[in-house]
């Protein structure tokens, strides 16, 4: 009776369960980033205007864009606070103080008990604290310290996101689909940034209230959690509605995942050159990405003088292009590996290089186009488009190196990379107190240098091979039953 009911329900799912997991994982990352970036737009309307020297020089854009001498203010003065540029930098960076703490515990919990609840409960925590953010600000009369505390708590919840998702992908996704589904999930960061920026700007503009953006995205996160608990499971064996055909296929294809209790080989992981090359690549990516995600709305407002609605829209455009490139490059990367045109290691390094040097060049160029707002947006858009190839490059590399410990590796890599989220917003705030182009050029030159050095290290020391310590009790296996020869020289035998 129970088995018949299970089979009947499984037939209702026309989409294979691994794709449902991929879609829900994508939406998890979308929600994570909307809740992360909402403050970046809202803070431009939460802070009292500070009068600067009105002398216009070659590195200061005039206000004629708006047709008057001041930028439009959306929120009422009663809800504006006298936070300095450095305090704003601390507020924007505080999310990452909590974010980096829960990465390794989140990865270990996900590998031990499955990623479903490690991800779901962490996201629920972030959603609740996002929703109550305005209440805390109002109750404390705009205490920036109180807002910092709330953001730290949000970061603690969201720190489990990528380690848990990586563990789930290792249990659900065959290697031949890894770039596509992995890119789909991880590229949710661009859609989340697009939605967070554009919807926040539109909501604040329509209601004249910065608080509405926090209420909206907090509520959406809570709704996502309900669907996640109902639809998704830690692995194919535990899923009650998966078809027998898909379960058998995944059981055959995902051959490097141990079902036994695992003792994490910390020494091997922490002394592995490819792991540290991946850490360095993540630092490069995060430095550039957080510079844009956290501070691009400030650049749009303080330097180019977009109003809040325009800011939300034009701050989103680069991430739309980045998402398109992310998805297309994921398919291209899989195709190149599938056809044997590129080995895994070469593919990861090639796409990571595109994702490093493209943004490094075009973000820097954007600061040299002066006050031409549309040309600046164009340069940012091209630069962030190149960054989209990171996801089929280094972002899925943890799954290549060790499917068994992918969650722990992602926790280490993403956790250390997340430290840049603490450094970058404060550094930008400290370097751009006068809101001039010259100050922002220093910020972008620093990002250029970080991209250049970190990519070089990844190209030299990175790898796409399954590491021997992935399964210490066995000889190293090829990363997929459908592949032959070494994991770095794979040829497909069968087709999904």
């Amino acid at each position: 009776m129970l088995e018949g009911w299970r089979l009947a329900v499984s037939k209702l799912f026309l989409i294979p369960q691994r794709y449902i997991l991929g879609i829900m994982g994508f939406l998890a990352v979308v929600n994570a980033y909307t809740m992360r970036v909402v403050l970046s737009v809202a803070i431009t309307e939460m802070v009292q205007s500070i009068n600067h020297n009105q002398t216009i020089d070659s590195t200061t854009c005039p206000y004629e864009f708006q047709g008057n001498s001041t930028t439009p203010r959306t929120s009422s003065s009663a809800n504006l606070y006298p936070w300095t540029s450095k305090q704003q930098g601390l507020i924007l960076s505080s999310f990452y103080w909590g974010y980096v703490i829960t990465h390794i515990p989140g990865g270990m919990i996900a590998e031990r008990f499955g990623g479903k609840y490690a991800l779901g409960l962490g996201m629920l925590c972030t959603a609740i604290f996002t929703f109550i953010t305005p209440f805390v600000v109002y109750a404390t009369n705009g205490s920036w310290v109180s807002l910092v505390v709330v953001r730290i708590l949000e970061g603690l919840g969201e720190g489990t996101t990528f380690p848990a998702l990586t563990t789930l992908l290792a249990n659900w996704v065959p290697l031949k689909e890894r770039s596509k589904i992995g890119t789909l999930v991880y590229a949710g960061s661009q859609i989340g940034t697009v939605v967070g920026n554009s919807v926040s700007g539109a909501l604040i503009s329509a209601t004249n209230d910065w608080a509405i953006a926090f209420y909206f995205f907090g509520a959406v996160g809570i709704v996502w959690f309900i669907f996640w608990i109902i639809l998704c499971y830690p692995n194919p064996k535990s899923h009650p509605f998966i078809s027998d055909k898909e379960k058998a296929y995944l059981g055959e294809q995902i051959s490097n995942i141990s079902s036994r209790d695992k003792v994490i080989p910390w020494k091997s992981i922490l002394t592995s050159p490819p792991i540290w090359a991946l850490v360095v690549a993540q630092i490069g990516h995060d430095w550039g990405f957080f510079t844009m995600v956290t501070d691009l709305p400030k650049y749009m407002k303080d330097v180019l003088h977009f109003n809040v609605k325009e800011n939300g829209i034009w701050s989103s455009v680069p991430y739309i292009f980045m998402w398109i490139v992310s998805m297309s490059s994921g398919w291209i990367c899989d195709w190149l590996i599938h056809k044997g045109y590129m080995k895994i290691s070469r593919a990861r390094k090639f796409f990571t290089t595109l994702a490093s040097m493209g943004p490094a060049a075009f973000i820097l160029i954007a600061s040299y186009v002066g006050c031409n707002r549309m040309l600046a947006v164009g340069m940012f858009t091209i630069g962030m488009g190149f960054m989209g190839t990171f996801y089929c490059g280094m972002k899925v590399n943890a799954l290549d190196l060790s499917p068994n410990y992918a969650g722990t590796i992602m926790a280490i890599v993403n956790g250390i990379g997340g430290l840049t989220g603490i450094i970058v917003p404060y550094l930008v705030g400290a370097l751009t107190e006068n809101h001039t182009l010259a100050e922002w050029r220093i910020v972008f030159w620093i990002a250029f240098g970080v991209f250049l050095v970190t990519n070089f290290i990844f190209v030299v020391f990175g790898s796409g091979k399954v590491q021997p310590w992935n399964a210490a009790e066995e000889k190293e296996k090829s990363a997929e039953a459908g592949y032959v020869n070494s994991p770095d020289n794979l040829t497909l035998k069968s087709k999904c």
Side-chain angles (χ1 to χ4, degrees):
M1 178 74 176
L2 184 62
E3 179 65 16
W5 178 80
R6 185 191 71 80
L7 291 173
V9 173
S10 68
K11 292 179 180 179
L12 295 176
F13 289 94
L14 301 178
I15 303 175
Q17 293 299 327
R18 64 188 184 278
Y19 297 146
I20 291 177
L21 178 89
I23 293 168
M24 289 300 296
F26 163 77
L27 293 175
V29 178
V30 170
N31 276 299
Y33 270 78
T34 59
M35 293 185 287
R36 186 184 304 190
V37 307
V38 60
L39 182 62
S40 296
V41 175
I43 201 169
T44 66
E45 300 302 307
M46 298 170 72
V47 181
Q48 294 175 358
S49 297
I50 299 174
N51 293 324
H52 296 282
N53 189 336
Q54 294 300 310
T55 301
I56 303 300
D57 59 34
S58 62
T59 63
T60 303
C61 294
Y63 281 103
E64 280 88 36
F65 295 123
Q66 306 296 341
N68 52 45
S69 61
T70 59
T71 51
R73 171 62 67 182
T74 298
S75 301
S76 67
S77 59
N79 295 330
L80 301 179
Y81 307 103
W83 301 330
T84 67
S85 182
K86 289 183 179 179
Q87 288 171 341
Q88 292 175 56
L90 288 171
I91 291 168
L92 290 170
S93 73
S94 59
F95 174 92
Y96 298 96
W97 305 358
Y99 182 70
V100 300
I101 291 173
T102 50
H103 265 69
I104 291 179
M108 295 172 67
I109 291 170
E111 287 178 349
R112 179 80 174 175
F113 302 105
K116 175 177 180 175
Y117 292 103
L119 173 61
L121 294 176
M123 287 288 293
L124 179 63
C125 172
T126 303
I128 291 171
F129 282 108
T130 298
F131 189 86
I132 68 171
T133 295
F135 297 107
V136 173
V137 174
Y138 295 150
T140 60
N141 294 318
S143 167
W144 69 272
V145 176
S146 298
L147 181 54
V148 163
V149 172
V150 172
R151 292 291 288 180
I152 291 173
L153 293 172
E154 289 180 30
L156 286 170
E158 200 168 301
T160 65
T161 302
F162 284 103
L165 277 172
T166 303
T167 300
L168 287 163
L169 292 175
N171 281 282
W172 276 94
V173 181
L175 179 59
K176 68 181 74 173
E177 299 175 357
R178 188 172 292 165
S179 294
K180 293 190 289 288
I181 297 180
T183 297
L184 168 67
V185 172
Y186 297 136
S189 59
Q190 291 106 66
I191 299 301
T193 304
V194 170
V195 173
N197 284 335
S198 59
V199 174
S200 293
L203 288 173
I204 294 170
S205 178
T207 63
N208 295 329
D209 183 7
W210 54 261
I212 187 64
F214 294 96
Y215 299 145
F216 178 79
F217 289 117
V220 171
I222 294 170
V223 171
W224 171 88
F225 170 77
I226 295 170
F227 281 97
W228 173 259
I229 293 299
I230 295 171
L231 294 175
C232 296
Y233 292 83
N235 53 62
K237 291 182 180 179
S238 66
H239 202 300
F241 309 131
I242 190 172
S243 69
D244 292 335
K245 181 179 179 182
E246 185 181 12
K247 183 186 289 187
Y249 170 73
L250 294 177
E252 176 186 332
Q253 295 293 312
I254 302 175
S255 58
N256 268 22
I257 300 297
S258 173
S259 61
R260 286 172 276 187
D261 290 340
K262 293 175 282 190
V263 177
I264 297 172
W266 287 109
K267 182 179 179 180
S268 297
I269 291 174
L270 296 177
T271 57
S272 171
I275 294 296
W276 286 105
L278 183 57
V279 168
V280 171
Q282 184 72 49
I283 290 171
H285 169 260
D286 284 356
W287 189 285
F289 192 65
F290 291 153
T291 297
M292 299 299 290
V293 167
T294 307
D295 292 295
L296 183 58
K298 288 183 64 180
Y299 185 87
M300 294 288 197
K301 178 180 175 63
D302 294 339
V303 176
L304 300 179
H305 307 311
F306 285 103
N307 64 43
V308 67
K309 187 175 182 180
E310 294 171 333
N311 195 338
I313 293 171
W314 292 114
S315 294
S316 302
V317 170
Y319 303 101
I320 296 173
F321 194 53
M322 185 179 176
W323 181 80
I324 294 171
V325 173
S326 296
M327 298 307 301
S328 58
S329 63
W331 285 90
I332 292 170
C333 183
D334 273 347
W335 180 79
L336 290 171
I337 295 171
H338 176 91
K339 293 293 186 180
Y341 297 138
M342 276 191 180
K343 300 176 182 180
I344 292 179
S345 291
R346 183 173 296 176
R348 302 299 183 229
K349 292 176 183 181
F350 173 75
F351 285 100
T352 299
T353 299
L354 288 179
S356 296
M357 302 320 300
F362 283 95
I363 290 173
L364 188 60
I365 292 170
S367 69
Y368 281 92
V369 301
C371 299
N372 187 325
R373 299 198 298 173
M374 291 300 100
L375 186 55
V377 170
M379 294 301 100
F380 284 131
T381 300
I382 295 171
M384 296 306 289
F386 274 105
M387 193 178 284
T389 63
F390 254 122
Y391 295 90
C392 66
M394 53 75 57
K395 199 67 176 179
V396 298
N397 191 222
L399 296 169
D400 300 323
L401 299 176
S402 177
N404 267 328
Y405 304 104
T408 296
I409 294 170
M410 179 59 79
I412 295 170
V413 171
N414 221 53
I416 295 176
L419 292 172
T420 62
I422 298 173
I423 299 169
V424 168
Y426 180 76
L427 181 65
V428 172
L431 291 175
T432 60
E433 291 186 291
N434 296 311
H435 313 312
T436 66
L437 282 167
E439 291 174 332
W440 277 93
R441 281 173 191 152
I442 295 173
V443 172
F444 295 141
W445 269 112
I446 293 171
F448 181 94
V450 172
F451 272 129
L452 183 66
V453 172
T454 56
N455 181 70
F456 175 78
I457 292 172
F458 183 73
V459 168
V460 173
F461 296 104
S463 175
K465 295 181 180 180
V466 176
Q467 299 300 292
W469 41 263
N470 178 65
E473 73 281 1
E474 303 172 13
K475 291 183 178 180
E476 182 179 351
K477 301 184 222 178
S478 63
E480 179 79 22
Y483 288 74
V484 295
N485 295 328
S486 74
D488 198 35
N489 187 25
L490 302 175
T491 305
L492 279 172
K493 298 195 301 182
S494 60
K495 186 177 181 181
C496 174

